[in-house]
Amino acid sequence: MGKIIEVIKPGLATSVQDLGRIGFQQYGVVVSGAMDSFALQVANLLVGNSRMEAGIEVVIMGPELRMMEDTVLAICGADLSPKLDGKPVSGWKSFAAKKGQRLTFGQPNNGSYAYIAIAGGIDIPEVMGSKSTYTKAGIGGFNGKFLQKGDQLASGGEHVPLRYLTGRGLTETAVPSYDPHRKIRVVLGPDKHAFTTNAMDAFCSSTYKMTAQSDRMGYRLDGPVLSHLHGADIISDAILPGTIQVPANGQPIILLADRQTTGGYTRIATVISVDLPLVVQKLSGSKLQFEAVSVEQAQQLYTERELLLQKLSLRAGVYPGA
């Protein structure tokens, strides 16, 4: 397929992301991928793509993009005031974009990360099985960098006729809420034995603030100091998306998409998968409170979300006469 989108203005940190570089952490390669994987998956399904396809990750201050061919887009995740030729477009719903039209973004109203999916996907080479951009190593995405002025993205290939892809959307009740007052649910441990009783109590009852020293690797928090029993260091061990490390200063760090492959600080808890978007979509200065849940509760919530995505998958690519 030919070129589909040209970057007129790049925005703050616009990049190509999919669900990450899976299976290479044993070699020291970070997973990377979308910060809000649920939003990206939904956006892809709404335009008839595979859940695994890459999209454009937009952060707070979005880009200006010119359509080089007729296409269908969906924008999910944060509400960054998207407009097509100056007219507002709805999030969590697919819409037609004609050749020559321009997609722009404005004031961030709710959240910080949005995802643009393009019918047919994005045609760029995979690096270790993924199209995700990891800028610190200069791999993946469009030349291993954030998108720049003048970059042109090609469509990934065949898709169902565009006329059957417009107007798809989530029901209102299925659209995620990024309510800033909702507590972030976590599973405690695996190193909870390394903290004092007072620290564990404080973690589950205090308010923390997201600091400006936060990025795709992790969000640093500021709040009551969490004291260790015998120091913060452990033998390097596994970390996951949402792992909450506590280094020697006693301030938590929530590890995210570009996290390292292993960690040597105590892990007080892990954010459950379905609540990761609540964390990711916060802006610097936002407040967070944590609530402990069981592994079984976390698994049930994950199963419910997965069933929603599977239902959307069954609809993806299906059109009259298929």
Side-chain angles (χ1 to χ4, degrees):
M1 299 291 287
K3 304 293 185 181
I4 199 83
I5 282 179
E6 179 183 13
V7 179
I8 305 301
K9 296 179 181 178
L12 178 62
T14 308
S15 64
V16 174
Q17 300 290 345
D18 57 22
L19 298 185
R21 203 156 274 112
I22 307 300
F24 295 92
Q25 291 187 86
Q26 60 185 313
Y27 306 114
V29 179
V30 304
V31 175
S32 196
M35 287 281 276
D36 186 340
S37 63
F38 178 77
L40 174 61
Q41 289 179 82
V42 172
N44 270 316
L45 293 173
L46 293 180
V47 298
N49 295 342
S50 160
R51 291 164 56 177
M52 308 297 290
E53 184 52 69
I56 300 173
E57 183 177 83
V58 177
V59 189
I60 302 175
M61 186 176 71
E64 179 178 340
L65 306 174
R66 182 178 70 86
M67 305 302 119
M68 302 178 71
E69 297 291 345
D70 292 355
T71 188
V72 171
L73 308 175
I75 304 172
C76 296
D79 177 5
L80 304 182
S81 304
K83 294 181 178 181
L84 189 64
D85 277 356
K87 297 181 179 180
V89 294
S90 299
W92 304 95
K93 187 176 182 179
S94 61
F95 59 94
K98 302 295 184 182
K99 182 178 180 179
Q101 288 189 307
R102 299 195 179 202
L103 179 66
T104 58
F105 294 83
Q107 178 72 26
N109 291 322
N110 184 19
S112 54
Y113 282 86
Y115 295 86
I116 307 169
I118 306 164
I122 299 175
D123 185 16
I124 55 174
E126 292 186 353
V127 177
M128 288 175 275
S130 172
K131 299 177 182 178
S132 283
T133 310
Y134 181 48
T135 58
K136 292 180 180 179
I139 62 173
F142 197 88
N143 299 323
K145 301 177 181 179
F146 294 124
L147 293 180
Q148 304 295 315
K149 178 179 179 181
D151 288 347
Q152 296 180 351
L153 298 176
S155 174
E158 296 299 323
H159 49 73
V160 303
L162 296 178
R163 65 184 180 277
Y164 296 124
L165 293 175
T166 59
R168 296 181 175 191
L170 288 187
T171 61
E172 186 175 338
T173 56
V175 173
S177 168
Y178 303 135
D179 182 352
H181 303 295
R182 278 183 57 190
K183 290 186 177 181
I184 307 301
R185 290 169 292 188
V186 300
V187 173
L188 296 177
D191 300 318
K192 61 182 180 180
H193 60 276
F195 296 89
T196 65
T197 300
N198 287 342
M200 296 303 300
D201 291 342
F203 176 74
C204 293
S205 62
S206 302
T207 299
Y208 286 85
K209 184 175 73 173
M210 177 180 159
T211 73
Q213 287 74 46
S214 299
D215 56 18
R216 281 179 48 88
M217 185 175 180
Y219 286 179
R220 291 181 177 270
L221 308 183
D222 180 62
V225 172
L226 302 175
S227 301
H228 300 87
L229 286 171
H230 305 292
D233 295 337
I234 60 171
I235 297 173
S236 289
D237 205 342
I239 53 175
L240 305 168
T243 291
I244 304 177
Q245 289 185 323
V246 183
N249 66 2
Q251 299 297 330
I253 305 170
I254 306 177
L255 300 177
L256 299 169
D258 284 353
R259 65 195 179 278
Q260 67 273 27
T261 56
T262 60
Y265 292 132
T266 47
R267 301 154 296 180
I268 195 168
T270 299
V271 177
I272 68 172
S273 298
V274 298
D275 279 8
L276 272 176
L278 288 176
V279 174
V280 165
Q281 295 292 356
K282 291 186 179 295
L283 296 167
S284 177
S286 297
K287 295 179 180 179
L288 299 87
Q289 291 182 312
F290 298 104
E291 175 186 355
V293 298
S294 68
V295 172
E296 291 75 19
Q297 287 174 289
Q299 291 172 335
Q300 178 61 36
L301 291 165
Y302 177 84
T303 299
E304 292 171 2
R305 188 184 70 175
E306 183 63 21
L307 287 173
L308 170 62
L309 289 169
Q310 288 181 12
K311 288 179 182 178
L312 287 173
S313 295
L314 291 174
R315 290 163 44 193
V318 177
Y319 60 99

